[in-house]
Amino acid sequence: MPGNLGSDRTFRFMSLACAIGVLLMFAGIMVALTYGAWPSITAFGFSFLWTDIWNPVTQKFGAVVPIYGTVVTSFIAMLIAVPVGIGIAIFLTELCPRSLRRPIGIAVELLAGIPSIIYGIWGLFILAPFLQKYVMPPVIDAFSNVPVLSDLFAGPPYGIGMFTAGLILAIMILPFITAVSRDVFLTVPPVLKEAAYGLGATKWEVEYYVVLPYARGGVVGGIMLALGRALGETMAVTFVIGNAHRISPSLFAPATTISAAIANEFTEAVGALYGPALIELGLILFFVTVIVLAAAQYMLYQLDRRTGART
């Protein structure tokens, strides 16, 4: 017994130390970014968040353009990857022939192991020319006289731009959503599905009313993991987004993101405010990621409360 008590105390101390270490690391990153960005924070204040000027010559900087590019490309990626990823997970767990489940599952998971720079090169030399020649021109012509959509899909068709970057991001985050969703779908007790089938439910109804509600926590976790990857992706986006510091309503227009701006310009950031402005962009991305994760936790908490109230 005394030996067991000593082991329990050691385990408790080590666990507590690891937890505190994570908090200290989190605080250290925030302090380091704040310290590095302080000249920019004091020079521009909160106007840095909504200013669209980015001029290293005059030392005038604003973050709204890379923030806009980050949000739009991530939204496009999630809009494509979430339904496709969940659909693949449902197919692998419920509909796919047993002989094909493992090969398809491995193929999807291998996408996560491809370096991001390979995605960027493929996007620049293969995907962007394909979109420029075969996709963007007919889409631009089809919506040229449609209100709102004519601005959203306006030309010229460069091939590179926010849509291309979002499509590359969707391919990159697809394995995270698919793998996590598939694993949590497999944890659904078979008796629940069998009971639903016994009541006359169709396969679609079983998935929608039984599997997805039971596994929603894991699915949301996978989606948030994928969103974190999309928000912070650098090299692949840098290759295909065009790296233009301007805001355009067209999804086909070149733009930039926070991570792409930092990667492109940090090595040549000379001057009293250029480097701190880039570091402040990193600080903003840090807070955006924290806010997204906090919102996900709050959403899961609210879902659990509603489920408890219904039961």
Side-chain angles (χ1 to χ4, degrees), residues 11-307:
F11 176 73
R12 182 176 181 181
F13 174 78
M14 293 178 63
S15 301
L16 179 62
C18 291
I20 294 175
V22 171
L23 294 177
L24 291 175
M25 188 182 303
F26 180 88
I29 294 173
M30 185 170 59
V31 169
L33 289 174
T34 304
Y35 178 79
W38 191 250
S40 176
I41 295 173
T42 55
F44 304 117
F46 286 106
S47 64
F48 185 79
L49 297 174
W50 55 78
T51 302
D52 61 353
I53 299 174
W54 191 269
N55 193 331
V57 177
T58 60
Q59 294 288 291
K60 299 294 183 182
F61 302 100
V64 69
V65 175
I67 290 174
Y68 172 78
T70 300
V71 172
V72 172
T73 54
S74 298
F75 178 78
I76 294 172
M78 300 304 293
L79 193 65
I80 298 172
V82 169
V84 173
I86 295 177
I88 294 174
I90 292 175
F91 175 75
L92 290 176
T93 55
E94 301 294 333
L95 303 173
C96 183
R98 189 174 297 275
S99 59
L100 295 178
R101 287 182 182 179
R102 187 171 180 84
I104 295 176
I106 292 175
V108 172
E109 292 175 358
L110 282 176
L111 293 175
I114 300 175
S116 60
I117 194 170
I118 302 301
Y119 280 108
I121 294 172
W122 174 77
L124 181 63
F125 292 107
I126 304 298
L127 181 62
F130 176 82
L131 294 177
Q132 182 184 27
K133 187 175 181 180
Y134 298 107
V135 177
M136 291 183 178
V139 171
I140 293 171
D141 293 339
F143 295 117
S144 59
N145 297 318
V146 181
V148 180
L149 294 180
S150 61
D151 295 326
L152 200 60
F153 299 102
Y158 295 107
I160 58 176
M162 289 185 290
F163 177 78
T164 308
L167 189 56
I168 289 289
L169 285 176
I171 298 172
M172 294 181 68
I173 66 177
L174 186 64
F176 297 95
I177 299 174
T178 300
V180 174
S181 299
R182 182 195 61 186
D183 290 342
V184 296
F185 289 164
L186 291 174
T187 65
V188 178
V191 65
L192 296 180
K193 294 187 285 186
E194 292 170 0
Y197 286 127
L199 293 173
T202 63
K203 191 172 289 290
W204 159 251
E205 289 172 333
V206 170
E207 294 298 323
Y208 187 78
Y209 293 107
V210 178
V211 176
L212 285 176
Y214 186 91
R216 67 176 179 274
V219 172
V220 172
I223 292 173
M224 290 302 107
L225 178 65
L227 179 57
R229 173 71 185 272
L231 288 171
E233 179 53 44
T234 304
M235 292 310 301
V237 173
T238 303
F239 271 83
V240 298
I241 198 169
N243 303 303
H245 275 281
R246 63 175 180 266
I247 292 178
S248 173
S250 175
L251 299 180
F252 295 158
T256 190
T257 64
I258 293 176
S259 56
I262 296 172
N264 275 324
E265 304 180 33
F266 202 82
T267 56
E268 56 189 32
V270 294
L273 296 177
Y274 198 178
L278 291 172
I279 296 175
E280 188 172 0
L281 285 180
L283 182 64
I284 292 171
L285 182 60
F286 179 79
F287 277 116
V288 167
T289 305
V290 172
I291 291 171
V292 167
L293 295 177
Q297 292 296 325
Y298 179 76
M299 183 172 63
L300 287 174
Y301 173 72
Q302 291 297 323
L303 287 172
D304 290 339
R305 284 189 61 186
R306 292 175 187 174
T307 303

